[in-house]
Amino acid sequence: MRNIKLLIEYDGKDFNGWQKQPNKLNIQGEIERAIQEITKEDDIQLFASGRTDAGVHALGQVANFKTSSNMPVEKFPIAINNKIKKSIVIKEAEEVDERFHSRYNCKKKTYRYIINNSEYGSAIYRNLECHIPQKLDVEAMKAAIKYFEGEHDFKGFKASGTSSKNSVRKIFKTKIEVHNERIFIEITGSGFLYNMVRIISGTLVDVGLGKILPEEIPEIINAGDRKRAGKTLPPQGLYLLKVEY
Amino acid sequence: MRNIKLLIEYDGKDFNGWQKQPNKLNIQGEIERAIQEITKEDDIQLFASGRTDAGVHALGQVANFKTSSNMPVEKFPIAINNKIKKSIVIKEAEEVDERFHSRYNCKKKTYRYIINNSEYGSAIYRNLECHIPQKLDVEAMKAAIKYFEGEHDFKGFKASGTSSKNSVRKIFKTKIEVHNERIFIEITGSGFLYNMVRIISGTLVDVGLGKILPEEIPEIINAGDRKRAGKTLPPQGLYLLKVEY
């Protein structure tokens, strides 16, 4: 069997997330259906680097599937793109070792969260960012985000009620950039718990509002209590930027 | 009567253009309705710097209206924003001299056209740019756009069938910028004919494809023949960036 790796962009607004669910529009199901039509194989399984939630976007999601089709690998993007909704685009296809698995072999993932910090927000980009009208102190946010770097137990930064045996994750790199009225929060880590980036971003907003001091972050992480962290920011500001292997 | 000047952003996708038309969603009508509700005046007339067509976006449209309302000027943006569709945002309001008119006093307008020149285009920004998959020669486009600067009769660069007594316009400044896979075409002029920026952009695409040489542009302008210029690019790539007085 050949193993094909895809690089995928999608507009999360139109979908109930990555994962296949009956009777709900989802990204995995939409792409699998197209591949099945192309390869005439009815058991295609598409493995992503990880799920993204309803409304979350991806500029660089990675997924792979096995096939016996002999279609040249460079034909897959256009063939799939012709059969799926325009809110998903396959940007690249590559033939990889049969042992490659998008999730298990993933070493690093980078997410970006976009905040529009202008008074009235944007009409054009309203579904592609989170609008926070109160002026945020970006310097305080930059100081605070550094405390998330390194290996920590992020128990307090996952959606309450979700189980995960091990909530220790390693954050390799963080960055906050200002582009005019927008604040870009970028976090690269070994992996992320459910809603983790949106909760970290919400906590950084509390820092920007002066509700939390940057120096309090280590204590909030150590507490391991979801109630100590900030709100979960909405999905439309979140982008899966890059997956590294 | 007080004269209030508004700075307006809108997502053109949701509207049949700026101008009020019966039974069609339009930007002018939507904002006028909100102002009428706020001021309790039923004859509000909103004058824009110019119409924009169906699907065209604005980051900096300017419009003004007269009112007897004594609402503080700084309250207008939030009051109007609360009553209109989220695809329109009033960014600023300012009280101006009663003789000020958004259209007649306009000295310069700047438009931007965004082309996505990647092989498969973008899923996320598909309604906010024009996708051209064939690789464009940007250096040739940069050479070509300079020939549009200055005062010219742009008869060949307006939608065929539209009347306009005088088709002489002055282009003050042009610019082409590359941002990764995107090409931004920016044109500042005294005013623009119907579809003029979209036809100039389509002509520049023909230059980028090698169908027209940069040096041929002066002759194409002088010919005054719509058939000599390039195609009219679609509205979703066009933005009214700025209006100057």
Side-chain angles (χ1 to χ4, degrees), chain A:
Chain A
M1 295 281 272
R2 298 166 74 201
N3 192 5
I4 310 290
K5 177 186 172 198
L6 303 176
L7 182 68
I8 310 168
E9 176 180 335
Y10 48 82
D11 181 344
K13 174 172 90 281
D14 297 353
F15 300 97
N16 289 286
W18 171 269
Q19 201 181 21
K20 208 151 66 170
Q21 306 166 68
N23 305 320
K24 286 196 168 181
L25 200 59
N26 59 83
I27 299 139
Q28 181 187 4
E30 178 74 4
I31 304 174
E32 281 184 358
R33 181 192 48 70
I35 300 171
Q36 289 179 172
E37 286 176 34
I38 293 162
T39 60
K40 321 273 189 230
E41 295 166 318
D42 58 7
D43 55 351
I44 294 292
Q45 271 198 291
L46 190 62
F47 300 101
S49 70
R51 310 166 189 176
T52 51
D53 290 337
V56 173
H57 315 291
L59 281 161
Q61 173 68 287
V62 171
N64 70 295
F65 65 96
K66 303 276 176 87
T67 179
S68 302
S69 158
N70 55 11
M71 177 182 269
V73 68
E74 68 276 13
K75 301 279 188 204
F76 274 104
I78 193 87
I80 300 172
N81 289 337
N82 281 338
K83 290 183 182 290
I84 55 180
K85 291 191 171 290
K86 301 237 170 298
S87 39
I88 307 175
V89 170
I90 310 297
K91 297 164 87 173
E92 288 174 23
E94 186 191 349
E95 194 156 349
V96 288
D97 188 279
E98 62 171 346
R99 287 163 305 181
F100 173 84
H101 190 289
S102 298
R103 181 146 69 100
Y104 303 137
N105 297 142
C106 165
K107 292 224 164 50
K108 293 182 186 180
K109 273 189 205 178
T110 302
Y111 278 94
R112 175 184 289 160
Y113 199 92
I114 303 183
I115 293 169
N116 181 316
N117 197 207
S118 69
E119 200 166 356
Y120 305 115
S122 168
I124 296 175
Y125 302 98
R126 68 195 181 284
N127 294 316
L128 297 171
E129 58 192 22
C130 167
H131 176 221
I132 304 213
Q134 301 92 328
K135 187 81 198 120
L136 298 175
D137 177 347
V138 177
E139 291 312 309
M141 293 167 74
K142 284 183 179 176
I145 199 173
K146 291 296 155 199
Y147 291 108
F148 288 97
E149 294 185 0
E151 193 168 270
H152 305 283
D153 186 338
F154 285 101
K155 203 163 41 176
F157 289 82
K158 67 179 175 68
S160 56
T162 57
S163 66
S164 46
K165 287 175 210 106
N166 181 353
S167 47
V168 174
R169 295 291 184 277
K170 188 166 183 175
I171 302 296
F172 299 110
K173 204 176 146 190
T174 63
K175 188 165 73 173
I176 293 187
E177 281 183 359
V178 175
H179 298 276
N180 300 315
E181 62 198 24
R182 291 183 173 83
I183 300 168
F184 285 27
I185 297 170
E186 281 186 28
I187 305 179
T188 303
S190 59
F192 293 92
L193 300 164
Y194 191 61
N195 282 356
M196 180 170 152
V197 180
R198 290 160 59 187
I199 299 170
I200 292 178
S201 299
T203 307
L204 291 171
V205 165
D206 280 349
V207 172
L209 292 170
K211 292 186 195 172
I212 295 176
L213 294 172
E215 312 83 78
E216 293 179 82
I217 296 293
E219 214 287 291
I220 292 173
I221 296 173
N222 288 336
D225 177 0
R226 173 68 192 88
K227 293 183 212 79
R228 295 287 305 278
K231 274 192 300 222
T232 306
L233 294 191
Q236 80 269 11
L238 187 61
Y239 296 73
L240 174 54
L241 269 197
K242 195 164 66 170
V243 186
E244 292 172 86
Y245 292 93

